[in-house]
Amino acid sequence: MTFKDNYEQWLKSDYIDEETKKELKSVKDEKEIEDRFYRELEFGTGGLRGIISAGSNRMNIYTIGKATQGLADYLNKNYTGEISVSIAYDSRNMSKEFSERAASVLCANGIIVNLFESLRPTPVLSYTVRHLKSKAGIVITASHNPKEYNGYKVYNEDGGQVTDKAAKEILDCISKITEFKNVKAIDLGKAKEEKLLNIIGEEVDKTYIDKVKALTIREELVKKNAKDVKVIYTPIHGSGNVPVRRVLKELGYDNVFVVKDQELPNGNFPTAPYPNPEQPSVFELALKMAEDIKPDVIFGTDPDCDRIGVVVKDKSGEYRVLTGNQTGVLLTHYIISSLKELNKLPENGAVIKTIVTSEMTRKITEDFNVELIDVLTGFKYIGEKIKEFEKTGSNTYLFGFEESYGCLAGTFVRDKDAVIGATLICEMVLYYKNKGLSLYDALIDLYEKYGFYKESLVSLELKGKEGQEKIQKAIENLRHELEPAIDGVKIVKKFDYKLSKEKDILNNTESVIELPKSNVLKFILEDGSWFVVRPSGTEPKMKVYMATVGKNLSDADEKMDNFNKAVMEIINKACEN
């Protein structure tokens, strides 16, 4: 079926409402119609994510309904007896409507739904699936994407995002639904009457908050001195406002100041068009407040409160947004060193990071004789490892993080959790403050001990069908035609995660990569620098991760500048060929 056939089918369907048809008829640009209809919105391991509008390649009640019918078919095929699904949603436009649509379809298929009364963070949904023993979970969010986007993430019964095998099986069920008339739905009022729909809230929140508080490592220090830490916090118009402030308040952090203009939920993100704590611009209002408040730390959480960005003052008095890698290595070191000091560090302790996350982590874990495990990009793979540890008893999970501002301690949640992140960051700031150090001082101390690691990420936006094709072609070019050296430095190792091959170029040997297949390439150079190329799973982008190691901060910066230029020259050439 061509995109035009698909477009016409929507216009003629009795199941598409007149308002949606009117929107479609108003689109005059053929390229725009093609982009809306050249494919079904792709259901991957992250579920769905796309622009909110009419069309098969967009987020709307019809694509949500179809995906949910597929999920319902998958659940009814794989489970017997009573099946329940828990659903949460964030502050984005249409999040509530999409969550109710998903609930309606599931209930119509005889599946019990636990739907939150109002917005909740993604990690709370992960916890709820486990707490209520649901067979699956759904959260409606597009994380840190711009306001035009929304998404639909699916979780398995363990509370982690569905991984490759389950995602493929769900996709197979979705692909069998060829007509909208095959999507069942029920009025939510009737679903409640038939005891198929439960509205949930505080009873779940309280147990979650109690478990977050129990992750405190230095309990006495926090109990006595939490009030000494001064914090500025911004929820960036998202779902973190209530739970983050609640847990900090209950732990005794009384000096938490919230950025008022970014406090309330708002799917248009009026003060932050790109509501991403990786972006320094989202902290402009917080930094103005800082002139008077003079906080020890500033942090912000994204709309679904699974990522956290941290701002600290450096030696010159300038505020700096820490990278996800910097926050992650600080927390890794704080957690491990504190557990060791308190004689609570298990012999089989493990830290988990993704393949694009800082190698400085390895130096820290080696120093404390803690195992470091690498997984593919995506927190679902960290959640999968936690489950494996529980089954085999091979390791005790200590901490996991990825460079994209996500981290997790504890095992009652199986996704990155900025509520937990905020709690541990406050404790870490308090610990260093008691020693007369700022968080920036602590970071410099780590650099001086383990090496001056510098990481960088470049995202190349390539929209539409042509953009997707260009990304795939560029990665194939790099897979087969990359020069043997970059800026005079030899490439010594090549990791091809699609072919599951690790090649030692110097010794001309190959070994098998024991990770799921993914269209990702990683190249390691003779001087310890490396870069990774992969397509984004959630945006029309190709991502290029780079890392170098310097003798000091300025040397690391200079090396990264030169390396970045050399790598991007190669990447741009691969995109053009």
Side-chain angles (χ1 to χ4, degrees), residues 422-435:
T423 308
L424 289 172
I425 287 162
C426 282
E427 181 183 335
M428 180 168 63
V429 170
L430 173 60
Y431 171 77
Y432 286 119
K433 185 172 184 177
N434 258 33
K435 288 183 167 291

Side-chain angles (χ1 to χ4, degrees), residues 41-48 67 70-71 74-75 78 152-156 160-175 380-381 384:
L41 187 60
E42 193 173 350
F43 186 93
T45 54
L48 305 171
L71 175 62
Y74 165 82
L75 292 170
N78 285 278
Y152 174 103
K153 285 202 256 188
V154 179
Y155 287 74
N156 61 34
Q161 283 187 56
V162 291
T163 46
D164 307 305
K165 183 176 180 291
K168 186 181 180 304
E169 289 178 20
I170 295 166
L171 178 59
D172 288 345
C173 290
I174 295 170
S175 62
K380 55 186 171 283
Y381 297 113
E384 202 172 43

Side-chain angles (χ1 to χ4, degrees), residues 23-37:
E23 179 191 329
L24 289 173
K25 287 172 185 174
S26 72
V27 180
K28 303 303 178 188
D29 180 0
E30 184 137 325
K31 278 282 179 193
E32 169 72 7
I33 294 171
E34 181 185 29
D35 191 49
R36 288 183 184 223
F37 287 98

Side-chain angles (χ1 to χ4, degrees), residues 61-128:
I61 59 168
Y62 302 105
T63 51
I64 289 285
K66 187 176 177 182
T68 309
Q69 182 62 55
L71 175 62
D73 293 343
Y74 165 82
L75 292 170
N76 280 321
K77 178 182 171 185
N78 285 278
Y79 296 99
T80 55
E82 187 175 280
I83 302 169
S84 76
V85 173
S86 294
I87 302 178
Y89 60 92
D90 71 1
S91 61
R92 286 186 173 271
N93 294 328
M94 297 297 291
S95 280
K96 187 172 190 290
E97 290 84 347
F98 290 162
S99 70
E100 289 176 348
R101 174 65 170 164
S104 167
V105 173
L106 289 167
C107 291
N109 283 272
I111 293 167
I112 294 167
V113 171
N114 305 307
L115 176 65
F116 272 103
E117 63 195 355
S118 58
L119 77 169
R120 291 296 189 284
T122 287
V124 173
L125 182 277
S126 171
Y127 167 74
T128 303

Side-chain angles (χ1 to χ4, degrees), residues 312-318 320 436-438 440-442 444-445:
V312 295
K313 194 183 276 190
D314 67 15
K315 292 285 191 189
S316 67
E318 183 185 341
R320 291 176 177 267
L437 298 170
S438 70
Y440 187 78
D441 294 331
I444 297 302
D445 285 350

Side-chain angles (χ1 to χ4, degrees), residues 342-357:
L342 299 169
N343 293 316
K344 291 181 178 178
L345 186 62
E347 285 184 13
N348 65 345
V351 170
I352 308 171
K353 74 172 187 67
T354 64
I355 59 170
V356 298
T357 298

